[in-house]
Amino acid sequence: MAVDAVDSASRTHDPVVTTPYGAVRGRYEDGVAVFRGIPYAAPPFGARRFRPPVPPEPWDSVRDAGEFGPTPPKPPYSEAFARLLADPVVPGDDCLNLNVWTPEPGPGARLPVMVWIHGGALTRGSSAVPVYDGQAFARDGVVLVSINYRLGVEGYGLFPDAPPNAGLRDQLAALEWVRESIARFGGDPDRVTVFGESAGAISIGALLASPRAQGLFRRAVLQSGPPEASERDKVRRMVRRMATRLKVPATARAFAAVDRALLLRTQADVARLGSPVLGGPAFGIVVDGDLVPRHPMEALLAGGAPDVELLLGWTSEEYRLWLAPGGLLERVDRLGPVALAGAMARCRCGHEVPRGYRAIHPGAGTADLVGQMVTDHLLRVPLHRLADARPPRTPAYVYEFAWPSHVPGLGACHALELGFVFDTVEVPQAAQLAGPGAPQELADAMHSAWVRFAVEGDPGWQAWDASHPVRIFGAGAPHTVLGPRDRELALWDAESGRPGAPLSSPESTPSPRPRRPRRVMAVRPSSRPPRPPRAGGGRSLP
């Protein structure tokens, strides 16, 4: 799929492309034209603080795009997570910027485009993370775009005097920039694939369901993140807790007057006890009646985005990233029945679910049972239901990443697949999570599947149907397994029909589609239709 971009003589000069707001000068790196730090919106500070994004001010001279632009304000990871996850900081206000890797920087190439939306619990991360380098995608004939967006209280605070979901509105603005500008970089605006991991995938779920994002992308990849929305009261509590500590009103105007460093420290303090497995306070996307008019999962189960092809998946042991670094695995094992009771409360399920998991995994410790229960509740159940709901003319493809990290205790954890998807396993920052000696052949296979999906709409294995085919990327050659999680997920089907179990989101009325029958069953499923996740049932994942 490699593309010979431009002749060698033209590579003696830095590539220059004219955008709607001004010309930018990139760099040639290993035969690929790279443009970094291109503004797609004006700096979101001053009078624009906590407001929707607006276009950048045009510039007259050629703007240098050789370095990553400023990253949005964010607190650092804790020491335990910082050893595993790179999160560089680039100072400056012009943080609503993006990067482009292209093998052929000029109109006429009409190459497929992939737009990367990073994860980080909507509070951390950026497009400058070295693992997200787009060189390999451009090498294989794809124009790769990666974006920054506002994070934490700046992007997802809920105030009475400012519109919600500012960070998601940033993502929409970046996609509109791609629609308007990417042809000048060699891309085809009618062949855009959005892909994201964790909070990035959750964001894509909201964009899939948003009428305002229709037509901006043709395909979507959701890695370890389902379509979801947080309860508005839950997000308000985050803001109010911060306001109490800061001794200011819980308004955008008051927060805008607070020193940025103090605001970040306060945000980190308020959120430090939260965890995807254990729950707790968190920022999240909310139903706003505008960009997110209804719960994203409900909208998609009811037939939303019917023409967008999907690639969906997870890692085998997502929870190990959330529990292992801080020693919570051992603590949960020591707590035993108390931890299982906490997981039941977290998932709002009855005793039948943990009993079923114990029967399916008789040798597993409490931490593994709790972790898999919560992972299935937050990720696999909604992604299975999303795949079930796709119309036959628009197939979905499902994968599981099963290769265990060489870092002790992490297993096939959350975010481990990223270096393989980007074909950057040799980057030192990828080795922080994967350990030394990550298999290049697995990166070749996974990266090629993502490229093939962007180019053809088919990653190379059987589309989702009633047999539930899942492509396993693990030790040995990738292979397809039918229904590998069906026994566990059947427990949740039965649970959805339990008397007294919540059947709908508190913020909207569900209109789910019927499930297709499962191939393997451990528990007789309920005859009731599946319920969509509660608003706020999950949280953005790191």
Side-chain angles (χ1 to χ4, degrees), residues 161-192:
D161 55 338
N165 297 322
L168 190 66
R169 295 172 192 273
D170 295 341
Q171 296 172 18
L172 180 68
L175 289 172
E176 290 171 340
W177 183 97
V178 169
R179 181 73 185 175
E180 185 178 9
S181 307
I182 204 63
R184 307 176 192 214
F185 292 84
D188 184 347
D190 294 322
R191 286 201 292 166
V192 173

Side-chain angles (χ1 to χ4, degrees), residues 180-259:
E180 185 178 9
S181 307
I182 204 63
R184 307 176 192 214
F185 292 84
D188 184 347
D190 294 322
R191 286 201 292 166
V192 173
T193 299
V194 291
F195 70 128
E197 186 265 348
S198 193
I202 291 169
S203 300
I204 291 171
L207 292 168
L208 274 167
S210 175
R212 293 182 55 186
Q214 288 185 7
L216 293 178
F217 50 89
R218 181 173 172 181
R219 302 182 177 112
V221 184
L222 281 72
Q223 300 172 214
S224 301
E228 69 173 33
S230 294
E231 296 176 8
R232 294 175 71 90
D233 285 346
K234 181 178 180 179
V235 179
R236 283 195 190 98
R237 285 197 296 273
M238 281 288 287
V239 173
R240 287 168 182 162
R241 290 179 185 183
M242 291 183 64
T244 299
R245 294 194 179 208
L246 293 167
K247 297 181 172 58
V248 300
T251 65
R253 181 176 181 179
F255 273 51
V258 176
D259 175 77

Side-chain angles (χ1 to χ4, degrees), residues 58 121 144 165 215 234 242 316-317 321-322 338 342 359 377 389 439 457 462 488 496 526-527:
L144 191 284
N165 297 322
K234 181 178 180 179
M242 291 183 64
S316 296
E317 299 169 292
L321 180 65
W322 311 324
V338 175
H377 174 68
Q462 180 183 349
E488 293 91 339
S496 68
S526 165
S527 60

Side-chain angles (χ1 to χ4, degrees), residues 480-507:
T480 300
V481 176
L482 300 181
R485 300 282 175 176
D486 279 4
R487 292 188 297 165
E488 293 91 339
L489 298 179
L491 296 168
W492 297 100
D493 281 349
E495 178 64 20
S496 68
R498 176 175 59 86
L503 294 176
S504 64
S505 158
E507 295 197 271

Side-chain angles (χ1 to χ4, degrees), residues 306-377:
D307 298 320
V308 179
E309 296 156 333
L310 299 182
L311 173 58
L312 316 167
W314 49 76
T315 71
S316 296
E317 299 169 292
E318 301 271 2
Y319 61 93
R320 286 186 168 268
L321 180 65
W322 311 324
L323 295 181
L328 284 176
L329 279 172
E330 296 80 6
R331 201 176 314 168
V332 171
D333 275 334
R334 288 196 303 269
L335 288 171
V338 175
L340 276 176
M344 289 168 56
R346 175 86 169 101
C347 301
R348 296 188 185 180
C349 67
H351 291 280
E352 293 81 3
V353 172
R355 285 173 186 161
Y357 275 80
R358 181 70 73 186
I360 295 168
H361 305 283
T366 300
D368 287 321
L369 286 177
V370 166
Q372 291 291 6
M373 274 180 56
V374 177
T375 298
D376 287 347
H377 174 68

